[in-house]
Amino acid sequence: MGVIAQCIVRTSQKVMAMRNATHNQQSPTGDNTGAQPHIGHVYLVGAGPGDPDLLTVKAARLISTAQIIVHDGLVDNAILALAPEHCRMISVAKKRARHTVPQQGINALLVAEARKGHDVVRLKGGDPFIFGRGGEEVDDCRAAGVPVSVIPGISAANGGAAQALLPLTHREDSSAVTFVAGQCKGLSEQKWAGLAGKGRTLVIYMGVHTAEAIVEKLIDDGVTPDMPVAVLENATRSDARALRTLLTDLPDMIQRNAIKSPALLVIGDVVLRADAQDGLEQIKHTIPAMIKEAMA
């Protein structure tokens, strides 16, 4: 742990000790009969896309003094290691179509622990309010009368794009950027018309497993098959990859390179500015035929 991180941890521990002492103080008569039970505070903390160095100072402070951490599966182990030894760790890891704890169960857990008087750090990959279901957790805490705060984190899109030197907006290429989910509520229920194309950037979360349907949907909406696309896998981590191809080749490129989640899809001309492995070299002799087939 670096010197700055050590200072943050030591300061945070002193602050938490003072808060605990205040909570434990009795009334001047020494009688707490009839006192309202202490309700803990729920902190929804963005852990960022993976690299521990991208944590905010406030996030690092809350993690280092946490009593209970309820964490997602995408939170890096190096971030979890910042928690104190006495901290109770509760994993609510989610994988595609397989949730160890359903969302309503997570919400209930946060409320129940806070009602016992515990401060709870709900640690989420990326940012809690960008496809992190943080809004639902805030709603349930509010409804239960539990104090709740949100500490933003660097999103996977911001972190992954920065690592790949891929500007999501650019004066010459894109004046708008949109984030969508590739599997949330089903693709058929989402209206993407106009979100991708010239002068725009579309970032798709959770789209690796539905890439074929995404390509078909976008082309049907009028996006040209030769629109540049990047895939950002394991953003900001040591095993991160950035790959580039054309929209029509996206599903095949994912298969050729065995790309796995977590990964983002970025669609738009800004992709040509990225520091990415160019998948077009592998298929350049078949590109004309692929584009012709996609437009047929």
Side-chain angles (χ1 to χ4, degrees):
M1 186 183 297
V3 174
I4 294 177
Q6 290 175 354
C7 290
I8 292 172
V9 170
R10 285 196 297 268
T11 302
S12 300
Q13 289 170 344
K14 290 178 182 178
V15 170
M16 187 58 65
M18 293 173 63
R19 287 180 178 172
N20 290 338
T22 300
H23 289 159
N24 293 331
Q25 283 180 345
Q26 293 184 333
S27 66
T29 63
D31 183 6
N32 280 336
T33 303
Q36 292 294 321
H38 170 65
I39 297 179
H41 199 114
V42 173
Y43 297 92
L44 273 58
V45 178
D51 183 352
D53 286 342
L54 296 180
L55 280 174
T56 66
V57 172
K58 190 168 187 177
R61 174 174 64 79
L62 286 168
I63 295 168
S64 68
T65 58
Q67 301 170 346
I68 299 174
I69 291 180
V70 179
H71 65 90
D72 289 346
L74 291 179
V75 178
D76 195 275
N77 287 333
I79 293 175
L80 297 177
L82 297 175
E85 291 184 5
H86 60 77
C87 178
R88 181 152 59 99
M89 311 292 285
I90 303 174
S91 173
V92 290
K94 297 179 181 180
K95 293 185 178 180
R96 183 172 180 265
R98 297 195 307 276
H99 296 178
T100 57
V101 181
Q103 187 61 48
Q104 283 302 316
I106 296 172
N107 299 1
L109 172 65
L110 300 178
V111 169
E113 291 295 343
R115 283 178 169 169
K116 294 176 185 176
H118 301 146
D119 289 341
V120 183
V121 171
R122 172 68 173 106
L123 197 56
K124 296 172 169 288
D127 180 90
F129 277 179
I130 300 183
F131 301 120
R133 304 190 73 171
E136 298 167 54
E137 295 173 1
V138 166
D139 288 344
D140 278 19
C141 285
R142 280 174 165 172
V146 171
V148 58
S149 300
V150 177
I151 291 77
I154 293 177
S155 69
N158 283 32
Q163 184 182 39
L165 303 181
L166 193 169
L168 296 179
T169 62
H170 193 283
R171 283 182 64 118
E172 295 181 13
D173 294 326
S174 175
S175 60
V177 59
T178 305
F179 301 149
V180 300
Q183 65 183 41
C184 182
K185 289 189 176 181
L187 289 177
S188 61
E189 299 179 35
Q190 299 188 52
K191 307 298 182 184
W192 290 4
L195 299 183
K198 291 295 181 182
R200 287 154 287 172
T201 304
L202 181 63
V203 180
I204 304 176
Y205 283 69
M206 300 171 284
V208 168
H209 295 282
T210 55
E212 188 169 351
I214 287 171
V215 169
E216 182 178 346
K217 180 181 182 68
L218 290 173
I219 292 176
D220 286 345
D221 284 344
V223 180
T224 58
D226 60 351
M227 177 64 69
V229 179
V231 179
L232 308 179
E233 182 186 46
N234 293 321
T236 77
R237 299 173 187 262
S238 59
D239 57 348
R241 288 193 294 174
L243 300 97
R244 177 173 50 223
T245 189
L246 302 180
L247 180 61
T248 188
D249 178 52
L250 177 61
D252 290 339
M253 187 191 75
I254 289 174
Q255 185 174 10
R256 287 195 307 271
N257 292 277
I259 294 169
K260 307 293 183 184
S261 293
L264 294 166
L265 312 180
V266 183
I267 301 169
D269 287 335
V270 291
V271 165
L272 296 176
R273 299 179 179 275
D275 185 4
Q277 177 183 332
D278 204 333
L280 299 178
E281 283 298 316
Q282 305 171 27
I283 59 161
K284 59 184 180 182
H285 59 286
T286 63
I287 289 176
M290 291 171 59
I291 294 175
K292 183 178 180 180
E293 179 181 355
M295 297 184 70

